[in-house]
């Protein structure tokens, strides 16, 4: 006997949007991608640090005045990446959920099962994660390159901050299910009040 919600529902009632093995598979794939980017950030950080420490002896490749400029660029870049992720993802999510609520799914090709609402909601969630991780990873890579040029160890804090941001935003099952439940409620709200 399993303790699944679907075991207690009447046979004609569909399962809630966050229930099913398909979600676990999708979440596993998304999590592997996110963890891969986090691991890449750690490896890149270790490689660049060892090159600066052992290969360059901790010396900057730019003139002293340029070091502060590069550090400033790294700070602005990482803060901008976080701000964009925090501000842009909710806008994309709202637009994606409105599209799910107001537009019918694209008809599938012959022999392909049509998208369920859960599939469409999942794509909105995954899109938000791709944007978050893309911005953070891009900022981490560019800041690591700036660290290689400047040898300013403060830059490692910026790169570490981007990695920490990714760790904090890692898609867990509880977060994904909570997001999907909230997204389903938002889609239902938009459908009941389409003019808003």
């Amino acid at each position: 006997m399993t303790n699944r919600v679907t075991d207690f529902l009447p046979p004609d009632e569909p399962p809630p949007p966050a229930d099913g093995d398909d979600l676990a598979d999708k979440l596993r794939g998304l999590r592997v991608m996110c963890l891969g980017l986090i691991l890449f950030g750690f490896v890149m950080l270790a490689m660049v640090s060892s090159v600066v420490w052992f290969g360059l002896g901790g010396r900057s490749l730019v003139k002293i005045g340029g070091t502060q400029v590069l550090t400033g660029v790294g700070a602005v870049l990482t803060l901008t990446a976080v701000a964009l992720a925090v501000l842009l993802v909710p806008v994309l999510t709202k637009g994606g959920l409105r599209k799910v609520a107001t537009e019918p799914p694209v008809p599938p090709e012959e022999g392909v099962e049509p998208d369920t609402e859960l599939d469409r909601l999942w794509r909105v969630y995954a899109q938000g994660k791709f944007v978050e991780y893309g911005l953070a990873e891009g900022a981490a890579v560019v800041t690591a390159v700036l660290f290689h040029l400047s040898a300013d160890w403060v830059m490692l804090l910026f790169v570490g901050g981007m990695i920490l941001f990714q760790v904090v935003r890692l898609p867990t099952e509880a977060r994904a299910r909570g997001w999907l439940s909230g997204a389903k409620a938002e889609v239902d709200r938009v459908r009941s009040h389409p003019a808003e």
Side-chain angles (χ1 to χ4, degrees):
M1 180 173 160
T2 61
N3 188 14
R4 293 181 49 162
V5 173
T6 53
D7 294 339
F8 302 102
L9 294 175
D12 59 334
E13 189 172 331
D19 194 32
D21 296 332
D22 191 38
L23 176 66
D25 292 339
K26 290 176 181 180
L27 182 60
R28 193 175 305 112
L30 182 62
R31 202 173 335 181
V32 165
M33 186 268 315
C34 293
L35 289 171
L37 288 173
I38 291 169
L39 180 63
F40 177 75
F42 275 119
V43 169
M44 177 192 56
L45 187 60
M47 288 174 52
V48 171
S49 298
S50 62
V51 166
V52 170
W53 183 258
F54 297 112
L56 300 175
R59 291 186 304 271
S60 173
L61 294 175
V62 296
K63 295 181 180 177
I64 296 300
T67 300
Q68 285 82 20
V69 170
L70 292 178
T71 303
V73 169
V76 169
L77 183 65
T78 53
L79 291 174
T80 302
V82 170
L84 277 175
V86 169
L87 298 174
L88 183 62
V89 170
V91 172
L92 292 174
T93 298
K94 186 175 182 179
L97 294 179
R98 179 162 285 283
K99 187 174 180 180
V100 169
T102 58
E103 297 178 14
V106 176
E109 296 177 11
E110 190 174 323
V112 178
E113 288 188 31
D115 280 344
T116 64
E117 187 167 275
L118 177 60
D119 293 331
R120 297 176 74 200
L121 291 174
W122 178 259
R123 276 197 292 279
V124 174
Y125 179 73
Q127 176 189 19
K129 287 299 167 191
F130 289 142
V131 170
E132 283 179 355
Y133 276 74
L135 289 168
E137 195 71 16
V141 168
V142 173
T143 305
V145 170
L146 294 175
F147 167 66
H148 176 45
L149 296 173
S150 69
D152 186 353
W153 295 95
V154 173
M155 296 274 230
L156 295 183
L157 295 175
F158 302 145
V159 177
M162 291 294 89
I163 294 171
L164 181 62
F165 176 77
Q166 291 175 325
V167 169
V168 168
R169 305 294 269 204
L170 190 67
T172 63
E173 184 173 352
R175 287 178 186 163
R177 288 183 184 279
W179 186 94
L180 286 168
S181 295
K184 176 68 175 133
E186 176 65 14
V187 165
D188 291 342
R189 187 194 67 76
V190 170
R191 283 179 179 150
S192 62
H193 302 92
E196 289 182 7

